Amino acid sequence: MGAPSVDATDWPAPNWPQPWYAPFCADGAAVRQACEAGVPLPQALTHRAVQGPRFIPQAELPAGVAYEAHIYDTGTVPTREGLHDFFNGLCWMRFPLTKRRLNQLQATEIAAAGVGQVRGPVRDGLTLFDENAALLQAPDALWDALVARDWTRLFVELRPLWAQARLVLFGHALLEKLVVPYKSITAHVVREPVPLALGDDLAAWDGWLAGRLSAAELATKPFTPLPVLGVPGWCPANEDPTYYADAGVFRPKRVVA
């Protein structure tokens, strides 16, 4: 099988029972177990993935070829050993249609403008989505408070409504940060509510999301911030309402003069 270039036992271990890892824990635990047994990460991800793509060692990315263009052209994802690409692979498994759509949009931008020193607004929006996005399905009152950044209303006054909400993290860098959680970790929530009719069927979420992503919209960075450890049930300390008084984390919305 060959030894991985970085021993998986050296990676910090994700705490799979945490709520933010619920959609990924079965695949994640299986892939990590394989890596700990000596299977290289790309091989472990490929073996676990029910739907493509195939994951390959980063060394197989040809020199001078853009990462996103290579994925689009070959259907293979260059993968480094380590937590960042580990979580990227898990996101490909959970949201294959959306990941393919993001890659298609990235490849189209690269074909039109090249890689360049500056990504431009579309590629910036795509990268932000891929690395740090989250999806929220919630009653309208929660959405209104979130967009207004009225944190007291969102998390204290409307706290019982969170029983009707679902927050699912998409960004693999966001998932990586939460291996060692800290209060200020903030997701970029896509400013389009996941339809309540989709329930908790994440395959349906994936199809819905992939069908609505466009370059024009992503160029506007259609996100709103959410400090994820403020979510009820995601951190024991937030049971105390004073948790949300930290203005360095729960920042008010800027008033544009």
Side-chain angles (χ1 to χ4, degrees), residues 1 15 75 95 144 147 151 154 162 172 189 192 221 230 253:
M1 290 185 296
N15 185 0
F95 296 102
D144 293 343
V147 172
W151 306 115
L154 178 66
W162 280 93
H172 54 282
V189 176
E192 177 73 22
K221 296 186 176 61
K253 194 168 187 177

Side-chain angles (χ1 to χ4, degrees), residues 137-193:
Q137 182 188 68
D140 290 344
L142 288 182
W143 270 101
D144 293 343
L146 173 62
V147 172
R149 301 184 202 178
D150 187 342
W151 306 115
T152 299
R153 180 162 173 75
L154 178 66
F155 290 126
V156 180
E157 296 171 14
L158 298 177
R159 198 172 188 87
L161 279 184
W162 280 93
Q164 303 173 36
R166 295 181 181 90
L167 179 69
V168 175
L169 307 188
F170 180 96
H172 54 282
L174 180 60
L175 291 163
E176 181 185 15
K177 289 175 189 174
L178 282 160
V179 170
V180 183
Y182 52 91
K183 188 175 182 180
S184 61
I185 294 175
T186 299
H188 286 76
V189 176
V190 179
R191 285 185 62 166
E192 177 73 22

Side-chain angles (χ1 to χ4, degrees), residues 55 206 242 245:
F55 299 88
D206 185 30
T242 62

Side-chain angles (χ1 to χ4, degrees), residues 50-65:
V50 176
Q51 304 181 55
R54 185 167 63 87
F55 299 88
I56 61 172
Q58 181 73 19
E60 293 184 18
L61 175 65
V65 175

